[in-house]
Structures are given as C-alpha cells and as structure tokens.
Amino acid sequence: MGRLDYRTLRENVLDEIRMKILRGELVPGERIVEQELASEFGVSRGPVREALRQMEEEGLIEYARNAGCSVRQIGPEDIYEIYYMRANYEMMAVKLYGSPFPEETLMRMRQILEQMMQLDCSAYREVFELDNRFHEQIMDLVPFQRLKKAWEDFEKKVLKVQKDFEQKHSK
C-alpha cells in the first residue's frame, strides 16, 4: 500500500479554488464571495479565507478593502517576472546539483522535447504540460526542499499564466 499524504482542509480548499480559476469558472476581475465558496465546498468560511490569503500571496487573488477578493488579471510584466524568477530558480538548482545530469534524467528530457516537437502549434495545453514536465526534471534532482517549494509556488503562477494564454488564443 502506498503512503498517504496528510492534507489540511485549507489545502483542499486552496486546490479547489485554484482549479476553479484554471478551469475558467472564476475569471480575472470576478469577485470571490467567501460564503458562497464555503457553502459550495461544505466548509466554514475559515479555510476559505485562509486559502484566499495564500492565493493573494501567490499573486492569483487581489484583495481590496471594502470590496473583498477577486481573481487577479495577469499582464505581460507579470509573465516576464514569473518566467525570469522560474529561470533563476532552475539555474540555482543546476549549480547546487553541481554534477552532470544522470543519463535517465537526460533521456526523460529528450523524450519530452521529442513529444513537444510532434505537437501541432495550436496544442497550447499539451505544450504547457510538457514544458512543465521538462522543467520538473531539473528540480527533481535537487535535495533543497525550500528551493523546491519556492519553485513549486512559481509553477502555480506559471500554470495560471498558461491558462490565461490558452483562453485568449483559443477563441
């Protein structure tokens, strides 16, 4: 039997709200009502509020006094910053690893690149998913948990940016 991961109610709520944003059920600028989400998820407002605070720290949600939370619009400057930070985390990971990549890792990376080359240019979702898998190969080599956590936080932002791009270009 596999190991079970313990997840708090806040983490479950966080994932559900994030998925609602990624699926386009909550769109940029849309006001988020804590009580509505709490009722939908069958939880109190506390875990919803905690999840929204974390998402505000991640840059996915904006909080305005007397107006509450809304889904944040991500612009070109945000995209530049996110990818710049992602690249720096990955460069740090490579330096910290300090050895040639294992052949298995390089083989997986080559396979991912080959899959990407087979895709049609309009297959945004598949390109983004493969791109994320490619970059995960680098981070999987590093034993530094805080670096991995910071990179994972940026990956969540990257997913949001990619989803916004896909929605804009699939119309």
Side-chain angles (χ1 to χ4, degrees), residues 34-161:
E34 286 179 12
Q35 187 56 53
E36 288 176 9
L37 289 176
S39 296
E40 180 181 340
F41 300 145
V43 299
S44 68
R45 288 175 55 185
V48 173
R49 188 175 299 120
E50 291 172 16
L52 291 174
R53 281 189 188 131
Q54 181 174 338
M55 293 181 80
E56 182 183 10
E57 289 175 20
E58 293 173 2
L60 296 174
I61 299 292
E62 290 180 305
Y63 173 77
R65 190 177 189 141
N66 298 323
C69 292
S70 61
V71 178
R72 185 168 186 258
Q73 178 71 42
I74 295 179
E77 62 283 347
D78 297 303
I79 294 169
Y80 176 80
E81 180 183 351
I82 290 167
Y83 278 94
Y84 184 78
M85 293 299 295
R86 178 187 188 194
N88 279 289
Y89 282 138
E90 290 171 0
M91 286 187 287
M92 186 185 312
V94 169
K95 287 178 184 176
L96 290 170
Y97 185 67
S99 298
F101 285 8
E103 190 55 42
E104 312 86 61
T105 300
L106 293 173
M107 187 172 54
R108 283 192 300 271
M109 293 172 89
R110 283 186 203 105
Q111 289 170 344
I112 293 168
L113 289 173
E114 287 172 16
Q115 288 176 307
M116 290 175 85
M117 290 189 296
Q118 301 300 316
L119 293 174
D120 182 82
C121 292
S122 64
Y124 301 120
R125 176 173 287 139
E126 291 85 2
V127 170
F128 292 142
E129 287 173 5
L130 289 169
D131 177 65
N132 290 336
R133 283 187 33 217
F134 180 89
H135 292 278
E136 283 172 5
Q137 302 305 309
I138 297 168
M139 297 308 292
D140 285 346
L141 296 172
V142 181
F144 293 87
Q145 294 307 310
R146 288 179 185 87
L147 176 59
K148 282 185 178 182
K149 172 73 170 110
W151 184 83
E152 288 168 2
D153 289 345
F154 271 101
E155 278 304 288
K156 292 171 188 166
K157 292 178 185 179
V158 168
L159 287 173
K160 172 68 173 122
V161 167

Side-chain angles (χ1 to χ4, degrees), residues 17-28 30 71 125 160 163-164 167:
I17 297 171
R18 187 175 286 121
M19 289 310 299
K20 287 175 88 53
I21 292 171
L22 293 176
R23 287 191 302 259
E25 295 171 25
L26 294 171
V27 296
E30 182 175 349
V71 178
R125 176 173 287 139
K160 172 68 173 122
K163 179 67 175 177
D164 287 350
Q167 286 177 338

